[in-house]
Amino acid sequence: QFQNVLPDASLQWKFSNSKNLRFNYRTSTNQPSIQQLQEVASISNSLSVSSGNPDLLQDFRHNLFVRYQQSDYLKGNNLFALLSCNFADNYIGNEYIIPSVDTLILGDVLLSRGGQWVRPINLSGYLSLRSFATYGFPIPAIKCNLNLNGGISYVISPSKVNETLNENKNLSSNLGLVLSSNISKTLDFTLSSSVFVNDLKNSTDPDQNTTNYTQNTGFRIQWQIWKGLVIQTDVNAQINSGLSEDLNQNFVLWNAALAYKFLPKQAGDLRLSVFDLLNQNVSLVRNVREAYYEDVKTNVLQQYIMLSFTYNLKRFTENKSMPGGQG
C-alpha cells in the first residue's frame, strides 16, 4: 500500500494576446507491478534469469517545464519553445548480477557462468532534460510556409552491474525543416528534411559507447491535373550511420497514387495506389536500455498495389441566425 501527497503548481504570464509564458511543476508516482514485487524466477531464458523484488518502493517523479508561445496572426509567424526537467526519488531501475562461476540464486535456481540475473531495485540519479523549439513563417515570394525545428535531450538512467553503480548517459539532438506550399487549391506539396544524432556513454563499460546518425529527407506532392483527376506521390530517403555493421542500411521509400474524385461535392474517391515502388522498405530501430543498447531490424510489408474506394460523408449547413442575435 502506498499513500501520497502530490503537489502541483502552475504560473502563467500573458504579455499580450499573442505572447505568453507558462511554468508548471507537477508530481507523480510510479508503483511497482505485481511481477516486479514477486521474488519468483523466470527461467524461460537460462542465460538471463529475471525475478522481482519484494522490498521495492514506488518511485516519486518531479516534473518541471517552461513553455513560451508567440503568434503573429497578421504576418503568419509563430514561435514555440519548451524546456522540461524530470527527476525521481527511488527510481525503479535494474540490477544485473553476472557471475564468473556457476551460482545458485534465490535458493535453488542455477545461474550458469556468463549468464545474468536481472531484478528491479530502487536507485538514485535518474535525470531527464529535454528542450524543443519551432519557428514558422510564410515566404510570400514563392507562396510557401517554412517551419524550422530543433531539440536536445539528455537522459541519465542508473542501474547496477555486480554491485557497481552504472550510468547510461544518452545525449541526443535533432534539427529539421519543413517547406509546405500554399500555391493553389489544386496543387499542394511538402519538402522536409531532418537529422538526428544520438550519443550514448556507459560509465562501467566503455565498449558500449556509441554514436549513430539518421537523416531523413522527404518530398510529397498532390496535384489535381484535370477536374477530379488527382496524382499523388511521396518519396522518403533515409540514411543511417553508426548502427551495427549489418544494419547500416540506407533506403528510399517511394509511394504513388492515381485518384479520381467524383459524385456530388467530390464525395467519392476511386484510387489506385502503389506502395514501395523500389521494394526497399525496412524498419531499423535503436533501443537504449539502462545497461546496454540494441539495434532491431524488423521485417515489414514491402511493395504492394491497392485499389480502394472511399465515400466521404460530408454535411455542411448554412449558419443561420438564432433568437437574440446569436449565430
Side-chain angles (χ1 to χ4, degrees), residues 130-250:
R130 301 181 187 276
S131 64
F132 175 78
T134 177
Y135 177 61
F137 57 94
I139 307 178
I142 57 175
K143 296 183 179 180
C144 292
N145 298 311
L146 181 62
N147 185 279
L148 307 175
N149 60 79
I152 298 175
S153 70
Y154 181 64
V155 180
I156 301 177
S157 301
S159 61
K160 263 191 175 181
V161 179
N162 287 345
E163 299 299 323
T164 301
L165 180 64
N166 174 66
E167 289 184 332
N168 231 22
K169 299 178 179 179
N170 189 14
L171 176 64
S172 60
S173 59
N174 65 281
L175 187 65
L177 62 85
V178 179
L179 181 68
S180 56
S181 71
N182 190 23
I183 297 177
S184 70
K185 294 181 179 180
T186 60
L187 179 62
D188 174 48
F189 73 85
T190 302
L191 175 65
S192 63
S193 183
S194 62
V195 60
F196 176 82
V197 182
N198 189 45
D199 183 71
L200 179 65
K201 302 294 184 191
N202 191 293
S203 62
T204 60
D205 187 4
D207 291 337
Q208 296 285 342
N209 296 349
T210 178
T211 302
N212 68 287
Y213 308 85
T214 300
Q215 181 177 358
N216 191 294
T217 301
F219 178 73
R220 176 186 177 277
I221 185 170
Q222 180 171 295
W223 186 15
Q224 184 172 327
I225 56 178
W226 178 77
K227 292 185 177 180
L229 191 62
V230 178
I231 58 174
Q232 178 182 320
T233 187
D234 59 86
V235 183
N236 286 277
Q238 182 165 314
I239 300 174
N240 298 289
S241 176
L243 300 178
S244 302
E245 291 184 0
D246 58 334
L247 296 182
N248 275 334
Q249 297 193 24
N250 305 325

Side-chain angles (χ1 to χ4, degrees), residues 68-115:
Y68 177 75
Q69 191 169 1
Q70 173 182 327
S71 300
D72 189 330
Y73 301 105
L74 295 178
K75 295 182 179 180
N77 299 342
N78 62 83
L79 172 65
F80 177 86
L82 176 70
L83 176 63
S84 68
C85 175
N86 186 313
F87 58 96
D89 300 323
N90 294 320
Y91 170 75
I92 299 178
N94 284 322
E95 180 181 26
Y96 298 83
I97 305 297
I98 306 173
S100 56
V101 296
D102 292 352
T103 305
L104 280 177
I105 61 173
L106 300 175
D108 58 354
V109 178
L110 178 63
L111 182 62
S112 303
R113 178 175 64 91

